[in-house]
Amino acid sequence: MFRRIALVPLLLVSLVACGPAHKADKAAAAAPTSTAVSAGPAQPASTGTSVAPSVTAGTSPAALTGTQNAFLKSVDTTKRTITFDLVEFYTGAQAQAACKEDGVTETANDMCKAWYLRNNNRLLRTLPVKPDAKLFTIDMNDSAKPVPVDLAKFGEFLTTNSFPFEFDVVDGQITRAQAFCLP
């Protein structure tokens, strides 16, 4: 319960600078870089080119497939990996039902009416980012407009703006990632 409540101020900060949520139109490819961006302690660089999925505990992220939602924890541009905390994103009636199940009654910024993010654990997962993955941030002057970026800029944006992001996983690799605003 505390973890869910702790997300509220973080999400409200994100909403201040953001209008309606819109997902990317899957344009423009990301260019690799060699800088590390992190929301916490930086990870040591690796000289290898193959990066296996990893977790701090629990289920292997290799089991992840399809579209997921998360908060960014760190980006390692040398290893081309993203470390994240998965969340469940609900809208509409499903958001209302999930809030009721969790005993959450918050209504600021339409939380529990139009949307709800559920984070049931602190498990961090790390997945490799495919070299031709499509990565997008948000144009802060026009939140409806996705902005194609490279991996370093994706990490910088999400660690300084605290937006959730949606991403696609195919064969254990992130193939698309998009920062998004909550409705």
Side-chain angles (χ1 to χ4, degrees):
M1 179 70 167
F2 174 74
R3 180 116 164 109
R4 288 183 203 109
I5 292 171
L7 279 176
V8 173
L10 175 70
L11 296 174
L12 295 178
V13 168
S14 296
L15 291 172
V16 170
C18 192
H22 295 279
K23 308 292 169 123
D25 60 5
K26 299 186 180 183
T33 65
S34 61
T35 344
V37 177
S38 177
Q43 299 294 320
S46 167
T47 56
T49 56
S50 176
V51 179
S54 66
V55 294
T56 56
T59 309
S60 166
L64 290 178
T65 189
T67 302
Q68 309 292 326
N69 293 285
F71 280 103
L72 182 82
K73 293 302 176 184
S74 66
V75 169
D76 185 323
T77 57
T78 302
K79 293 181 183 180
R80 292 200 52 80
T81 60
I82 293 178
T83 299
F84 53 90
D85 183 4
L86 279 179
V87 295
E88 297 170 53
F89 178 58
Y90 300 97
T91 59
Q94 290 179 332
Q96 293 168 13
C99 281
K100 185 176 181 180
E101 285 174 21
D102 294 347
V104 177
T105 58
E106 178 64 46
T107 59
N109 293 314
D110 284 335
M111 185 171 140
C112 290
K113 291 180 183 176
W115 63 271
Y116 179 60
L117 283 172
R118 177 186 283 160
N119 188 349
N120 286 332
N121 64 58
R122 296 174 189 247
L123 180 68
L124 298 182
R125 296 162 175 90
T126 300
L127 284 177
V129 178
K130 194 171 179 184
D132 63 346
K134 313 292 189 223
L135 305 174
F136 301 89
T137 59
I138 299 166
D139 180 339
M140 295 304 288
N141 296 314
D142 179 5
S143 64
K145 183 179 179 185
V147 178
V149 293
D150 63 19
L151 186 58
K153 291 212 185 299
F154 184 78
E156 289 170 13
F157 180 85
L158 285 173
T159 57
T160 58
N161 290 293
S162 302
F163 288 105
F165 71 102
E166 175 184 273
F167 62 102
D168 295 332
V169 179
V170 176
D171 297 328
Q173 293 185 37
I174 295 174
T175 60
R176 180 193 64 86
Q178 160 74 44
F180 69 91
C181 297
L182 295 168

